Amino acid sequence: MYGIQSRKDLAFEYHPQIQILRPSIHARRANITVKFQDLYGFTVEGNVDDVNVLNEVREKVREQGRVWWALEASKGANWYLQTQATSTLKTSLKLSALVNGITLKKLIRKGIPPVLRPKVWFSLSGAAKKKSTVPESYYQDLTMAVEDRVTPATKQIDHDLPRTFPGHPWLDTPEGHAALRRVLVAYSFRDSDVGYCQGLNYVAALLLLVMKTEEDAFWMLSVLLENVLVSDCYTNNLSGCHVEQRVFKDLLTKKCPRLAAHLDSLEFDVSLVCTEWFLCLFSKSVPSETTLRVWDVLFYEGAKVLFHVALAIFKMNEEELLIAHHIGDVISIIQRSTHHLFDPDELLTVAFDKVGFMTTTTISKQRKKQEPAVMAELDQRSRRLNSVNPDEKR
């Protein structure tokens, strides 16, 4: 199913019909755990109820695909690019663009069909525009130029490759490792401030599976780190990630006050579960088909989506979490829930309809509010480490 056409071109076969999963009669009667492969090649474990949910979701994916194809037939192949009005357009055209934008937002929240996902992501995220600003051979030239270079980043990448989605039928092969390595090493030289941070291996791996070519995956990673996510999220001290954790904690207190108070009483730190969510963008915690539905919205609406989804996970488990008595119980409840999040529609409905409205401006203000405390804390931590290991500075 997965393989390489050429050194830079990955060939993934999408089934024309999204498969219906059919557990055996024995499995249905006993309600035992069954294993099955999702659309992107990952082996997933769940019970028969999970399989039924996933089958319902896949039927909705087929229905959504018919909607997108109908729009392409009536409005043109790139109709979704007509949603941005410029100041030179007439009022009627602005209104048309606004209507298209609202329609597109709703459609994206319902999911982009897997076969259309690569081109829609590439266009709407800004990756195509970013790529257009450099010579056409940029990625090829970059990978060739750094092919034999050895840096702390390349060493860490080599260490992480075998640990990135082990067991996947393509990613966990020499070809898959080589493709992922080229993308990660290339970006580590493109942005030396980021270099490489653990977590990016999972993000880049999933981008490779979706985008079909290394080059497109590279540009999606670039736009994600440079335009979509908060700056400094993947730098050495992870300052941006620490800021996101503090912002999330404040949002949890505002959106779920009873739950936040209970977690505080247990001395539960949200970073115990949220760090992985924000660094890996849910790719390591949530089934891939659900993760990619989150990414559909992330690439169109921006980083605020991560807060919506993280809050939704806590809100969906609120009643069970309120009777938890230990930190370990909280972690178990959250992890069990995320591993079985096979219904992206339920997750996104809670994320946007029940969590409530949040603007990018509001979240940006919260970030600025938290930044001084985070930087002071990181500076203090650095001073402590230097005092314990003074020889490391030499």
Side-chain angles (χ1 to χ4, degrees), residues 145-216:
V146 304
E147 191 170 17
D148 298 320
R149 299 274 294 276
V150 178
T151 67
T154 63
K155 290 179 181 178
Q156 187 62 55
I157 290 168
D158 289 334
H159 183 69
D160 288 346
L161 289 175
R163 304 190 297 180
T164 307
F165 298 126
H168 187 276
W170 182 76
L171 287 171
D172 195 14
T173 65
E175 294 82 5
H177 289 171
L180 180 57
R181 185 184 192 277
R182 284 191 291 269
V183 171
L184 291 171
V185 169
Y187 192 79
S188 75
F189 281 92
R190 173 180 169 85
D191 187 344
S192 58
D193 289 335
V194 171
Y196 170 73
C197 173
Q198 289 178 306
L200 290 179
N201 50 322
Y202 294 99
V203 175
L206 207 47
L207 286 173
L208 273 170
L209 293 181
V210 174
M211 299 306 297
K212 300 184 182 180
T213 72
E214 287 180 35
E215 185 170 5
D216 285 355

Coordinates of all heavy atoms in Angstrom, one line a residue, residues 145-216:
A145 N 22.5 19.4 -0.5 CA 23.6 20.2 0.2 C 23.9 19.7 1.6 O 25.0 19.8 2.1 CB 23.2 21.6 0.2
V146 N 22.9 19.2 2.3 CA 23.0 18.8 3.7 C 23.1 17.3 3.9 O 23.1 16.8 5.0 CB 21.9 19.4 4.6 CG1 21.9 20.9 4.4 CG2 20.6 18.8 4.2
E147 N 23.1 16.5 2.8 CA 23.0 15.1 2.8 C 24.0 14.4 3.8 O 23.6 13.5 4.6 CB 23.1 14.5 1.4 CG 22.7 13.0 1.3 CD 22.6 12.6 -0.1 OE1 23.2 13.3 -1.0 OE2 22.0 11.5 -0.3
D148 N 25.2 14.8 3.8 CA 26.2 14.2 4.6 C 26.6 15.0 5.8 O 27.6 14.6 6.5 CB 27.5 13.9 3.7 CG 27.2 12.9 2.5 OD1 26.4 12.0 2.8 OD2 27.7 13.2 1.4
R149 N 25.9 16.0 6.1 CA 26.3 16.9 7.2 C 25.8 16.2 8.5 O 24.8 15.5 8.6 CB 25.6 18.2 7.1 CG 26.0 19.0 5.9 CD 27.2 19.8 6.1 NE 27.0 20.9 7.1 CZ 26.5 22.1 6.9 NH1 26.1 22.4 5.6 NH2 26.4 23.0 7.8
V150 N 26.6 16.3 9.6 CA 26.3 15.7 10.9 C 26.2 16.8 11.9 O 27.2 17.6 12.1 CB 27.3 14.7 11.3 CG1 27.0 14.1 12.7 CG2 27.4 13.5 10.3
T151 N 25.1 16.9 12.6 CA 24.9 17.9 13.6 C 24.2 17.3 14.8 O 23.7 16.1 14.7 CB 24.0 19.1 13.1 OG1 22.7 18.6 12.8 CG2 24.6 19.7 11.8
P152 N 24.1 18.0 15.9 CA 23.3 17.4 17.0 C 21.9 17.1 16.6 O 21.3 16.1 17.0 CB 23.3 18.5 18.1 CG 24.6 19.2 17.8 CD 24.8 19.2 16.4
A153 N 21.3 17.9 15.7 CA 20.0 17.7 15.2 C 19.9 16.4 14.4 O 19.0 15.6 14.6 CB 19.5 18.9 14.4
T154 N 20.8 16.2 13.5 CA 20.8 15.0 12.7 C 21.0 13.7 13.5 O 20.4 12.7 13.2 CB 21.8 15.0 11.5 OG1 23.1 15.0 12.1 CG2 21.6 16.2 10.7
K155 N 21.8 13.8 14.5 CA 22.0 12.7 15.4 C 20.7 12.3 16.2 O 20.4 11.1 16.3 CB 23.1 13.0 16.4 CG 24.5 13.1 15.8 CD 25.6 13.4 16.9 CE 27.0 13.5 16.3 NZ 28.0 13.9 17.3
Q156 N 20.0 13.4 16.6 CA 18.8 13.1 17.4 C 17.7 12.5 16.4 O 16.9 11.7 16.8 CB 18.3 14.4 18.0 CG 17.0 14.2 18.9 CD 17.3 13.3 20.1 OE1 18.3 13.5 20.9 NE2 16.5 12.2 20.2
I157 N 17.7 13.1 15.2 CA 16.7 12.6 14.2 C 17.0 11.1 13.9 O 16.1 10.3 13.9 CB 16.9 13.4 12.9 CG1 16.3 14.8 13.1 CG2 16.1 12.7 11.7 CD1 16.6 15.7 11.9
D158 N 18.3 10.7 13.7 CA 18.6 9.3 13.5 C 18.2 8.4 14.7 O 17.8 7.3 14.5 CB 20.1 9.2 13.2 CG 20.5 9.7 11.9 OD1 19.7 9.8 11.0 OD2 21.7 10.1 11.8
H159 N 18.3 9.0 15.9 CA 17.9 8.2 17.1 C 16.4 8.0 17.1 O 15.9 7.0 17.6 CB 18.4 9.0 18.3 CG 18.1 8.3 19.6 ND1 18.7 7.1 20.0 CD2 17.2 8.6 20.6 CE1 18.3 6.7 21.1 NE2 17.4 7.6 21.6
D160 N 15.6 9.0 16.6 CA 14.2 9.0 16.8 C 13.5 8.2 15.6 O 12.3 7.8 15.8 CB 13.6 10.4 16.8 CG 13.9 11.0 18.2 OD1 14.3 10.3 19.1 OD2 13.8 12.3 18.3
L161 N 14.1 8.0 14.5 CA 13.5 7.4 13.3 C 12.9 6.1 13.6 O 11.7 5.8 13.3 CB 14.5 7.3 12.2 CG 14.9 8.6 11.5 CD1 15.9 8.3 10.4 CD2 13.7 9.3 10.8
P162 N 13.6 5.1 14.3 CA 13.0 3.8 14.5 C 11.8 3.9 15.6 O 11.0 2.9 15.6 CB 14.1 3.0 15.1 CG 15.4 3.8 14.8 CD 15.0 5.2 14.7
R163 N 11.8 5.0 16.3 CA 10.7 5.1 17.4 C 9.5 5.8 16.9 O 8.6 6.1 17.6 CB 11.3 5.8 18.6 CG 12.6 5.2 19.1 CD 13.0 5.7 20.5 NE 13.4 7.1 20.4 CZ 13.8 7.8 21.4 NH1 13.9 7.3 22.6 NH2 14.1 9.1 21.3
T164 N 9.5 6.2 15.6 CA 8.4 7.0 15.0 C 7.4 6.0 14.4 O 7.6 5.4 13.4 CB 8.9 8.0 13.9 OG1 10.0 8.8 14.5 CG2 7.8 8.9 13.5
F165 N 6.3 5.8 15.1 CA 5.2 4.9 14.6 C 5.8 3.6 14.3 O 5.6 3.1 13.1 CB 4.4 5.5 13.4 CG 3.7 6.8 13.8 CD1 4.0 8.0 13.0 CD2 2.9 6.9 14.8 CE1 3.3 9.2 13.3 CE2 2.2 8.1 15.2 CZ 2.4 9.2 14.4
P166 N 6.4 2.9 15.2 CA 7.0 1.5 14.9 C 5.8 0.6 14.5 O 4.7 0.6 15.0 CB 7.6 1.1 16.3 CG 6.9 2.0 17.3 CD 6.6 3.3 16.6
G167 N 6.2 -0.3 13.5 CA 5.2 -1.2 13.0 C 4.3 -0.7 11.9 O 3.6 -1.5 11.3
H168 N 4.4 0.5 11.5 CA 3.7 1.0 10.4 C 4.3 0.4 9.1 O 5.5 0.3 9.0 CB 3.8 2.5 10.3 CG 2.9 3.1 9.2 ND1 3.2 3.2 7.9 CD2 1.6 3.6 9.3 CE1 2.3 3.7 7.2 NE2 1.3 4.0 8.0
P169 N 3.4 0.0 8.2 CA 3.9 -0.8 7.0 C 4.7 0.0 6.1 O 5.4 -0.6 5.2 CB 2.6 -1.2 6.3 CG 1.5 -0.3 6.8 CD 1.9 0.1 8.2
W170 N 4.8 1.3 6.1 CA 5.7 2.0 5.3 C 6.6 2.9 6.1 O 7.8 2.9 5.8 CB 4.9 2.9 4.3 CG 5.9 3.7 3.4 CD1 6.6 3.2 2.4 CD2 6.3 5.0 3.5 NE1 7.4 4.1 1.8 CE2 7.3 5.3 2.5 CE3 6.0 6.1 4.4 CZ2 7.9 6.5 2.4 CZ3 6.6 7.3 4.3 CH2 7.6 7.5 3.3
L171 N 6.1 3.6 7.1 CA 7.0 4.5 7.8 C 8.1 3.7 8.5 O 9.3 4.2 8.7 CB 6.2 5.3 8.9 CG 5.3 6.4 8.4 CD1 4.4 6.9 9.5 CD2 6.1 7.5 7.8
D172 N 7.8 2.5 9.0 CA 8.8 1.7 9.7 C 9.5 0.7 8.8 O 9.6 -0.4 9.0 CB 8.1 0.9 10.8 CG 9.2 0.3 11.8 OD1 10.3 0.8 11.8 OD2 8.8 -0.5 12.6
T173 N 10.0 1.3 7.7 CA 10.8 0.6 6.7 C 12.1 1.5 6.4 O 12.0 2.7 6.6 CB 10.1 0.3 5.4 OG1 9.8 1.6 4.8 CG2 8.8 -0.4 5.7
P174 N 13.1 0.9 5.8 CA 14.2 1.7 5.4 C 13.8 2.9 4.4 O 14.3 4.0 4.6 CB 15.1 0.7 4.6 CG 14.8 -0.6 5.2 CD 13.4 -0.6 5.5
E175 N 12.9 2.6 3.5 CA 12.4 3.7 2.6 C 11.7 4.8 3.4 O 11.9 6.0 3.2 CB 11.5 3.1 1.5 CG 12.2 2.2 0.6 CD 12.3 0.7 1.1 OE1 11.8 0.5 2.2 OE2 12.9 -0.1 0.4
G176 N 10.8 4.4 4.3 CA 10.1 5.3 5.1 C 11.0 6.2 6.0 O 10.9 7.4 6.1
H177 N 12.0 5.5 6.7 CA 12.9 6.2 7.5 C 13.7 7.2 6.7 O 14.0 8.3 7.1 CB 13.9 5.2 8.2 CG 13.2 4.4 9.2 ND1 13.9 3.3 9.8 CD2 12.0 4.5 9.8 CE1 13.1 2.8 10.7 NE2 12.0 3.4 10.7
A178 N 14.2 6.8 5.5 CA 15.0 7.7 4.6 C 14.2 8.9 4.2 O 14.7 10.0 4.3 CB 15.5 6.9 3.4
A179 N 12.9 8.7 3.8 CA 12.1 9.9 3.4 C 11.9 10.8 4.6 O 12.0 12.1 4.5 CB 10.8 9.4 2.9
L180 N 11.5 10.3 5.8 CA 11.3 11.1 6.9 C 12.6 11.8 7.3 O 12.5 13.0 7.7 CB 10.8 10.2 8.1 CG 10.5 10.9 9.4 CD1 9.5 12.0 9.2 CD2 10.0 9.9 10.4
R181 N 13.7 11.1 7.3 CA 15.0 11.8 7.6 C 15.3 13.0 6.7 O 15.7 14.0 7.2 CB 16.1 10.7 7.6 CG 17.4 11.3 8.1 CD 18.6 10.3 7.9 NE 19.7 10.7 8.6 CZ 20.6 11.6 8.2 NH1 20.5 12.2 7.0 NH2 21.6 12.0 9.0
R182 N 15.1 12.8 5.4 CA 15.4 13.9 4.5 C 14.5 15.1 4.8 O 15.0 16.3 4.8 CB 15.2 13.4 3.1 CG 16.3 12.6 2.5 CD 16.2 12.4 1.0 NE 15.0 11.5 0.7 CZ 15.0 10.2 0.6 NH1 16.2 9.5 0.8 NH2 14.0 9.5 0.2
V183 N 13.2 14.9 5.1 CA 12.4 16.0 5.4 C 12.8 16.7 6.7 O 12.9 18.0 6.8 CB 10.9 15.6 5.6 CG1 10.0 16.7 6.1 CG2 10.4 15.1 4.2
L184 N 13.1 16.0 7.8 CA 13.4 16.5 9.1 C 14.8 17.2 9.0 O 15.0 18.3 9.6 CB 13.4 15.5 10.1 CG 12.0 14.9 10.5 CD1 12.1 13.7 11.4 CD2 11.2 16.0 11.2
V185 N 15.8 16.6 8.4 CA 17.1 17.2 8.3 C 17.1 18.4 7.4 O 17.7 19.4 7.8 CB 18.1 16.1 7.7 CG1 19.4 16.8 7.3 CG2 18.4 15.0 8.6
A186 N 16.3 18.4 6.3 CA 16.2 19.6 5.5 C 15.7 20.8 6.3 O 16.2 21.9 6.3 CB 15.4 19.3 4.3
Y187 N 14.6 20.5 7.1 CA 14.0 21.6 7.9 C 15.0 22.1 9.0 O 15.0 23.3 9.3 CB 12.7 21.3 8.4 CG 12.0 22.5 9.0 CD1 11.4 23.4 8.1 CD2 12.1 22.9 10.3 CE1 10.9 24.6 8.5 CE2 11.6 24.1 10.7 CZ 11.0 25.0 9.8 OH 10.5 26.2 10.2
S188 N 15.7 21.2 9.5 CA 16.7 21.5 10.6 C 17.7 22.5 10.1 O 18.2 23.4 10.9 CB 17.4 20.3 11.2 OG 18.4 19.8 10.4
F189 N 18.1 22.5 8.8 CA 19.0 23.4 8.3 C 18.3 24.7 7.8 O 18.9 25.8 7.7 CB 19.8 22.8 7.1 CG 20.9 21.9 7.6 CD1 20.7 20.6 7.8 CD2 22.1 22.5 7.9 CE1 21.7 19.8 8.3 CE2 23.2 21.7 8.3 CZ 23.0 20.3 8.5
R190 N 17.0 24.5 7.4 CA 16.3 25.7 7.0 C 16.1 26.7 8.1 O 16.2 27.9 8.0 CB 14.9 25.3 6.4 CG 13.9 26.5 6.1 CD 12.6 26.0 5.5 NE 11.6 27.1 5.5 CZ 11.5 27.9 4.5 NH1 12.3 27.9 3.5 NH2 10.5 28.8 4.5
D191 N 15.8 26.1 9.3 CA 15.5 27.0 10.5 C 16.4 26.5 11.6 O 16.1 25.6 12.4 CB 14.1 26.9 10.9 CG 13.7 27.9 12.0 OD1 14.6 28.4 12.7 OD2 12.5 28.1 12.2
S192 N 17.6 27.1 11.7 CA 18.5 26.6 12.8 C 18.1 27.0 14.2 O 18.6 26.3 15.1 CB 19.9 27.3 12.5 OG 19.8 28.7 12.5
D193 N 17.2 27.9 14.3 CA 16.6 28.2 15.7 C 15.8 27.1 16.2 O 15.8 26.8 17.4 CB 15.8 29.5 15.6 CG 16.6 30.7 15.4 OD1 17.8 30.7 15.8 OD2 16.0 31.7 14.9
V194 N 15.1 26.4 15.3 CA 14.3 25.2 15.7 C 15.2 24.0 15.6 O 15.3 23.2 16.5 CB 13.1 25.1 14.8 CG1 12.4 23.7 15.0 CG2 12.1 26.2 15.0
G195 N 15.9 23.9 14.5 CA 16.7 22.7 14.3 C 15.8 21.5 14.2 O 15.1 21.3 13.3
Y196 N 15.9 20.7 15.3 CA 15.0 19.6 15.4 C 14.6 19.4 16.9 O 15.4 19.5 17.8 CB 15.7 18.3 14.9 CG 14.9 17.0 15.3 CD1 13.7 16.7 14.6 CD2 15.2 16.2 16.3 CE1 12.9 15.6 14.9 CE2 14.5 15.1 16.6 CZ 13.3 14.8 15.9 OH 12.5 13.7 16.2
C197 N 13.3 19.1 17.1 CA 12.8 18.9 18.4 C 11.9 17.6 18.4 O 11.2 17.4 17.4 CB 11.9 20.1 18.8 SG 11.0 19.9 20.4
Q198 N 12.1 16.8 19.4 CA 11.3 15.6 19.5 C 9.8 15.9 19.5 O 9.4 16.8 20.2 CB 11.7 14.8 20.7 CG 13.1 14.2 20.6 CD 13.5 13.4 21.9 OE1 13.5 14.0 23.0 NE2 13.8 12.1 21.7
G199 N 9.1 15.2 18.7 CA 7.7 15.5 18.5 C 7.5 15.9 17.0 O 6.4 15.5 16.4
L200 N 8.5 16.6 16.4 CA 8.3 16.9 15.0 C 8.4 15.6 14.1 O 7.9 15.6 13.0 CB 9.5 17.9 14.6 CG 9.3 19.3 15.1 CD1 10.5 20.1 14.7 CD2 8.0 19.9 14.7
N201 N 9.1 14.6 14.6 CA 9.1 13.3 13.9 C 7.7 12.8 13.6 O 7.4 12.3 12.5 CB 10.0 12.3 14.6 CG 9.7 12.1 16.0 OD1 9.4 13.1 16.7 ND2 9.8 10.9 16.5
Y202 N 6.9 12.8 14.6 CA 5.5 12.3 14.4 C 4.7 13.2 13.5 O 3.9 12.7 12.7 CB 4.8 12.2 15.8 CG 5.4 11.2 16.7 CD1 6.3 11.6 17.7 CD2 5.2 9.9 16.6 CE1 6.9 10.7 18.6 CE2 5.8 8.9 17.4 CZ 6.6 9.3 18.4 OH 7.2 8.4 19.2
V203 N 4.9 14.5 13.6 CA 4.1 15.5 12.8 C 4.6 15.3 11.3 O 3.7 15.2 10.4 CB 4.4 16.9 13.3 CG1 3.7 17.9 12.3 CG2 3.9 17.1 14.7
A204 N 5.9 15.2 11.1 CA 6.4 15.1 9.7 C 6.0 13.8 9.1 O 5.7 13.7 7.9 CB 7.9 15.3 9.7
A205 N 6.0 12.7 9.9 CA 5.6 11.4 9.4 C 4.2 11.4 8.9 O 3.9 10.8 7.9 CB 5.8 10.4 10.5
L206 N 3.3 12.0 9.7 CA 1.9 12.0 9.3 C 1.7 12.9 8.1 O 0.9 12.6 7.2 CB 1.0 12.5 10.5 CG -0.4 12.0 10.5 CD1 -0.5 10.5 10.2 CD2 -1.1 12.4 11.8
L207 N 2.5 14.0 8.0 CA 2.4 14.8 6.8 C 2.9 14.1 5.6 O 2.3 14.2 4.5 CB 3.3 16.1 7.0 CG 2.7 17.1 7.9 CD1 3.8 18.2 8.2 CD2 1.5 17.8 7.4
L208 N 3.9 13.2 5.7 CA 4.3 12.4 4.6 C 3.2 11.5 4.1 O 3.0 11.3 2.9 CB 5.5 11.6 5.0 CG 6.9 12.2 4.8 CD1 8.0 11.4 5.5 CD2 7.3 12.5 3.4
L209 N 2.5 10.9 5.0 CA 1.4 9.9 4.6 C 0.3 10.6 3.9 O -0.3 10.1 3.0 CB 0.9 9.2 5.8 CG 1.8 8.3 6.6 CD1 1.1 7.6 7.7 CD2 2.4 7.2 5.6
V210 N 0.0 11.9 4.3 CA -1.1 12.6 3.6 C -0.6 13.3 2.3 O -1.4 13.2 1.3 CB -1.6 13.7 4.6 CG1 -2.6 14.6 3.9 CG2 -2.2 13.1 5.9
M211 N 0.5 13.9 2.3 CA 0.9 14.8 1.2 C 1.4 14.0 0.0 O 1.5 14.6 -1.1 CB 1.9 15.8 1.6 CG 1.4 16.7 2.8 SD -0.2 17.5 2.4 CE 0.3 18.5 0.9
K212 N 1.8 12.8 0.1 CA 2.3 11.9 -1.0 C 3.7 12.2 -1.5 O 4.3 11.3 -2.0 CB 1.3 12.0 -2.2 CG -0.1 11.5 -1.8 CD -0.9 11.6 -3.1 CE -2.4 11.2 -2.8 NZ -3.2 11.2 -4.0
T213 N 4.2 13.4 -1.3 CA 5.6 13.7 -1.8 C 6.4 14.3 -0.6 O 5.8 15.1 0.2 CB 5.6 14.7 -3.0 OG1 5.3 16.0 -2.5 CG2 4.7 14.3 -4.1
E214 N 7.6 14.0 -0.6 CA 8.5 14.6 0.4 C 8.5 16.2 0.4 O 8.4 16.8 1.4 CB 9.9 14.2 0.2 CG 10.2 12.7 0.6 CD 11.7 12.4 0.4 OE1 12.6 13.3 0.6 OE2 11.9 11.3 0.0
E215 N 8.6 16.7 -0.8 CA 8.7 18.1 -1.0 C 7.4 18.8 -0.4 O 7.5 19.8 0.3 CB 8.9 18.5 -2.4 CG 9.1 20.0 -2.6 CD 9.5 20.3 -4.1 OE1 9.5 19.4 -4.9 OE2 9.8 21.5 -4.3
D216 N 6.2 18.3 -0.7 CA 5.0 18.9 -0.2 C 4.9 18.8 1.3 O 4.5 19.7 2.0 CB 3.8 18.3 -0.9 CG 3.6 18.7 -2.3 OD1 4.3 19.6 -2.7 OD2 2.7 18.2 -3.0

